[in-house]
Amino acid sequence: MRDQVHAAAGPGRPGLQVLVSVVLAVMLTLGVVPPAATAATARSVSLAAGASGWVRIGAKRTSSIAAATVTLPAAGPFDVGLQFRASGHDSGYRALLTVAADRTVTGGFRRVDAGTETGLGKPSVLAIRAAAGAKLHVEAAAVGSRVVKLYLRAWLEGTQKPSNWLLSAGDATADRIRSIGRTYLWARSHAAGPLTLPYAGTSSKSFSQAKALAIGLGDAARAAAAGGGQDTFSIAIIPDTQAETNLVQNTPFLNRTTWLAATKDAFDLRYVLHTGDMTNWGWLDSGQLSRAKAAMAVLTSAGLPYALAIGNHDTAAVGWNGVRGSTGYGGSAYMYNPECRRRLGAAACKSWLLVRRTEAFNTTFPLAGMGNVGGVFRAGAADNYWTSFSANSTDWLVLTLELWPRKGVVEWAKGVVASHPNHNVIIQTHNYLDRRGRIATSNGGYGATSPRYLYDRVVSRYSNVKLVFSGHTGRFTSRTDTNRGNTVVSFLGNDLGGPTYNPVRILTINTSTGDLTSTVYDPIRHGTSGTTTRAIRIIA
């Protein structure tokens, strides 16, 4: 039987009721009646046995959130849900609830193409008993393009709305639907006879992945994400936070790490990097280091391993307010602070020496706090070290290097990379790309070598080097370099946060295809920007 759309007839003359119902249903389907009109009063979708029905509730969008309230009929079984990105009735993504004959409710997701349905994720029985006459609220979202993410939650009238999504699934296949489409309230009968589903409270509006992630995943959704066997995982890269640790309230930094902890399952986060300048002049202001430590402790509590690079602002090279004759502290070179000679002696007051003084940072962030340390350049120091982790049967090595590293450090790094040919190597150092996204050729005036030196001797020479991360200058950008068939993607992140802005890059890696999807998120404002895609060849 062909799918039909019906609107329930109200009191009045039968012939006119039928005519109005048919006209209204057609207008809803074609989008002539605006969404607000469908939500104004209770209406109904009438279904013949085995038939489906649709009511348009939203305009054409790619990423959106929609909601509806349905009154559950006594007849069944039946499906009801929300359909996104629909070019027609037989296409799009469906977030659906199946009400069985015993009135249990199962939630799930399907992709529909020319009437063919493909299940996404694992259906889950919800803690809902769908008694006849009860009002069931359903809310769902479809967001993203490179990886389409679907979310769903449902609850009965009179019960608490779930604070998190109950279910989530992703679609990164070649068949995923990336184009805009309409949003429908959709239902399908599995009953032997006709049934009617009254509905009200429909809505649809634009939405984003950041907003979906801010809602978070409930226990069932987290379990599904953890056991879904997906080919993707993610790492987070925190840019310079020097301006944030100046803030006594510590709101941006704490908010960012709290957000990462809350969304680790949604992203399948395996590792977190910080590319340096954790503080502004923390070695002279213990409060800055304390605030940084408190923020990073959130990740430790969440079981998220991390590696920290040391920036110039994390060393004794920085610590003067720039006012001639003043001993005040600030973000300028400490060698010019008159206090330097009295505190350290004249011979020590040279930036190329001060940049290697990292005692305060190492005391606050000892090596023992880093994730799975495999080796160090200098015993007990977190200036140069490597760590490792595994994801989806692939091995990864994170090589953290000091700013403008000494030649001996570069030689040590070569040995680390060469001795791990089956690891995909990630290098992080505070300065590598300049503000235009070029490999920098300067040592900053007080470093030992330049980023170009590191590129020539390590990055370009070893085929297992895959990613390079840095901060220090510019904002957010990236570049790709290919040497002897090996592609290396380098990312810069240095857009300083503030009281109402705390950017963080999430890099999602597909271990089957080598595809990289980078998105810069703003947890405080629930925004995103700068999504880019690249590809590398992953060592499996």
Side-chain angles (χ1 to χ4, degrees):
M1 178 178 292
R2 294 184 60 189
D3 292 338
Q4 301 174 1
V5 179
H6 295 275
R13 290 178 295 176
L16 181 59
Q17 293 169 358
V18 173
L19 177 61
V20 170
S21 298
V22 171
V23 171
L24 179 59
V26 172
M27 292 175 69
L28 286 168
T29 305
L30 296 177
V32 176
V33 178
T38 69
T41 58
R43 305 180 187 277
S44 298
V45 178
S46 297
L47 304 172
S52 296
W54 294 262
V55 178
R56 178 188 164 190
I57 62 173
K60 288 185 176 181
R61 295 188 180 95
T62 302
S63 295
S64 58
I65 185 171
T69 301
V70 296
T71 301
L72 301 173
F78 60 89
D79 301 325
V80 64
L82 298 158
Q83 185 167 328
F84 300 92
R85 302 187 185 183
S87 59
H89 291 162
D90 59 353
S91 70
Y93 287 107
R94 288 176 183 163
L96 65 127
L97 301 171
T98 297
V99 179
D102 64 359
R103 313 305 289 184
T104 58
V105 179
T106 301
F109 304 96
R110 294 175 187 168
R111 183 183 64 239
V112 186
D113 183 10
T116 300
E117 299 186 13
T118 302
L120 301 172
K122 184 179 180 180
S124 179
V125 177
L126 306 181
I128 295 175
R129 187 73 176 178
K135 292 184 177 181
L136 178 65
H137 300 272
V138 57
E139 183 179 62
V143 296
S145 176
R146 189 70 178 177
V147 177
V148 180
K149 297 292 288 186
L150 305 169
Y151 300 91
L152 171 67
R153 57 182 168 182
W155 65 101
L156 291 172
E157 182 85 11
T159 65
Q160 185 70 33
K161 178 180 179 178
S163 58
N164 305 117
W165 299 111
L166 300 181
L167 289 174
S168 177
D171 186 8
T173 68
D175 295 324
R176 67 189 180 281
I177 301 170
R178 289 171 283 183
S179 56
I180 63 172
R182 296 184 175 90
T183 302
Y184 291 98
L185 172 64
W186 165 85
R188 176 167 54 199
S189 171
H190 300 288
L195 61 81
T196 300
L197 282 120
Y199 69 89
T202 57
S203 65
S204 176
K205 61 183 180 180
S206 295
F207 207 52
S208 68
Q209 173 75 315
K211 291 179 180 178
L213 290 169
I215 293 174
L217 301 179
D219 292 340
R222 284 197 296 269
Q230 300 293 322
D231 293 328
T232 62
F233 75 95
S234 298
I235 60 176
I237 305 91
I238 301 174
D240 299 38
T241 51
Q242 63 198 65
E244 298 175 25
T245 53
N246 276 349
L247 304 171
V248 175
Q249 297 85 354
N250 205 22
T251 301
F253 205 164
L254 272 174
N255 175 272
R256 181 193 288 105
T257 53
T258 300
W259 181 81
L260 288 174
T263 59
K264 68 172 186 175
D265 293 316
F267 284 124
D268 194 6
L269 276 179
R270 303 297 180 92
Y271 217 87
V272 179
L273 307 180
H274 192 303
T275 53
D277 278 0
M278 177 86 73
T279 66
N280 222 338
W281 53 91
W283 76 287
L284 295 168
D285 179 1
S286 61
Q288 294 182 29
L289 282 169
S290 295
R291 289 187 281 275
K293 184 177 181 179
M296 297 306 294
V298 175
L299 301 182
T300 302
S301 297
L304 278 170
Y306 58 77
L308 312 177
I310 296 179
N312 53 319
H313 283 259
D314 300 315
T315 75
V318 174
W320 181 48
N321 62 12
V323 178
R324 183 181 295 274
S326 171
T327 57
Y329 300 144
S332 297
Y334 186 65
M335 66 176 289
Y336 299 117
N337 189 326
E339 179 193 83
C340 184
R341 292 171 175 263
R342 296 196 298 269
R343 178 190 285 259
L344 303 177
C349 291
K350 297 177 176 60
S351 289
W352 64 274
L353 293 174
L354 295 171
V355 76
R356 304 303 173 205
R357 298 189 68 131
T358 59
E359 296 87 352
F361 187 93
N362 274 284
T363 299
T364 307
F365 297 103
L367 274 171
M370 310 302 174
N372 197 27
V373 175
V376 298
F377 176 73
R378 179 168 64 90
D383 302 48
N384 301 281
Y385 60 100
W386 65 267
T387 63
S388 62
F389 68 95
S390 297
N392 304 342
S393 300
T394 59
D395 294 324
W396 297 80
L397 186 150
V398 180
L399 180 59
T400 300
L401 300 177
E402 65 190 20
L403 174 63
W404 305 309
R406 292 161 287 175
K407 291 183 178 180
V409 171
V410 175
E411 289 302 309
W412 171 81
K414 288 170 60 177
V416 171
V417 175
S419 62
H420 294 84
N422 296 320
H423 281 71
N424 299 278
V425 175
I426 299 169
I427 296 175
Q428 70 162 343
T429 186
H430 185 55
N431 180 224
Y432 183 75
L433 296 186
D434 67 16
R435 64 179 59 249
R436 289 184 168 181
R438 303 169 302 190
I439 298 172
T441 57
S442 169
N443 69 353
Y446 55 98
T449 64
S450 70
R452 172 58 67 174
Y453 184 91
L454 179 64
Y455 174 83
D456 290 340
R457 285 157 180 78
V458 181
V459 177
S460 66
R461 288 192 179 185
Y462 295 94
S463 61
N464 55 333
V465 177
K466 303 299 178 181
L467 300 168
V468 182
F469 295 95
S470 63
H472 185 64
T473 187
R475 300 188 69 180
F476 286 93
T477 190
S478 63
R479 68 173 284 123
T480 299
D481 296 285
T482 301
N483 296 282
R484 294 185 292 275
N486 181 57
T487 297
V488 180
V489 182
S490 303
F491 294 92
L492 169 68
N494 179 54
D495 195 353
L496 303 183
T500 60
Y501 180 47
N502 58 347
V504 58
R505 186 192 300 274
I506 301 294
L507 183 71
T508 300
I509 303 170
N510 188 310
T511 52
S512 292
T513 65
D515 290 339
L516 308 174
T517 303
S518 167
T519 301
V520 177
Y521 289 86
D522 178 4
I524 283 183
R525 296 188 294 197
H526 305 304
T528 62
S529 63
T531 296
T532 59
T533 57
R534 300 287 189 272
I536 58 175
R537 183 176 297 174
I538 291 177
I539 301 170

